[in-house]
Amino acid sequence: MQRRQFTFSTTALLMVPAWAHHGWSSFDQTRPIYLEGKARKVSWRNPHVELELELPADLKLPGDLARRPVPAQSAPVDGAKLLASAQLPTRKDKVWEIELAPLTRLEAWRVAEIKPGAELSVLGFTFGDEKGGPVLRAEYLWVSGKAYGMRSSPA
């Protein structure tokens, strides 16, 4: 009887999409990007809630963006400065991958599960010069007019 030996590479087991599970240092936090649109595919689970956001053809910065209130718990991030310096992406992709906070944090904020078709907006960061693809790690999420901080928990 001949014994077969199987080998495999552990590297192959660790392959994940390039945008998943990066620390904040992977993102350009000097250039806040604003996006809004409709959620398409949503992955409502840990370690991070992720979704595809379909942008409208005429994406614009809202006139009230710099004046939008942000949660008090996010004060160390200087939300007012981020909102005032928000930009639209230079990439022209119609669909973006959005990484939100861990599911436990969204549950603590009592964010209702985001379903495909939901309208939302986000402010966050891309990889340097948007070269890593249409990927945004959200700092703030707005759903139904309410703001949520993605790096903070509610008080």
Side-chain angles (χ1 to χ4, degrees):
M1 182 175 207
Q2 203 174 37
R3 191 179 255 193
R4 290 188 180 186
Q5 185 174 12
F6 294 98
T7 60
F8 62 92
S9 168
T10 55
T11 305
L13 296 175
L14 299 176
M15 291 176 59
V16 295
W19 56 274
H21 317 294
H22 288 280
W24 282 97
S25 64
S26 300
F27 296 88
D28 180 359
Q29 296 179 62
T30 65
R31 197 170 153 262
I33 302 292
Y34 176 82
L35 300 173
E36 66 183 24
K38 286 187 181 184
R40 287 188 0 165
K41 190 166 92 177
V42 179
S43 177
W44 194 258
R45 64 177 186 236
N46 275 320
H48 295 278
V49 172
E50 298 163 348
L51 59 92
E52 291 180 359
L53 186 67
E54 185 172 352
L55 310 182
D58 62 342
L59 180 64
K60 298 176 192 137
L61 286 175
D64 72 337
L65 184 61
R67 296 182 307 279
R68 286 186 183 179
V70 294
Q73 303 85 312
S74 63
V77 176
D78 196 353
K81 181 179 176 186
L82 291 177
L83 295 177
S85 59
Q87 305 171 32
L88 294 177
T90 57
R91 298 181 65 94
K92 300 302 178 197
D93 301 271
K94 185 159 177 73
V95 177
W96 280 67
E97 300 289 339
I98 309 298
E99 183 177 303
L100 299 176
L103 180 57
T104 52
R105 187 167 307 139
L106 290 170
E107 289 172 343
W109 276 109
R110 298 181 189 214
V111 176
E113 182 174 348
I114 297 169
K115 303 280 188 183
E119 300 268 347
L120 59 100
S121 54
V122 291
L123 181 86
F125 308 104
T126 62
F127 295 112
D129 295 329
E130 299 175 32
K131 290 182 182 171
V135 175
L136 182 118
R137 183 153 195 190
E139 182 73 54
Y140 293 109
L141 165 70
W142 289 272
V143 180
S144 301
K146 184 165 182 186
Y148 303 96
M150 297 292 98
R151 278 201 258 188
S152 62
S153 295

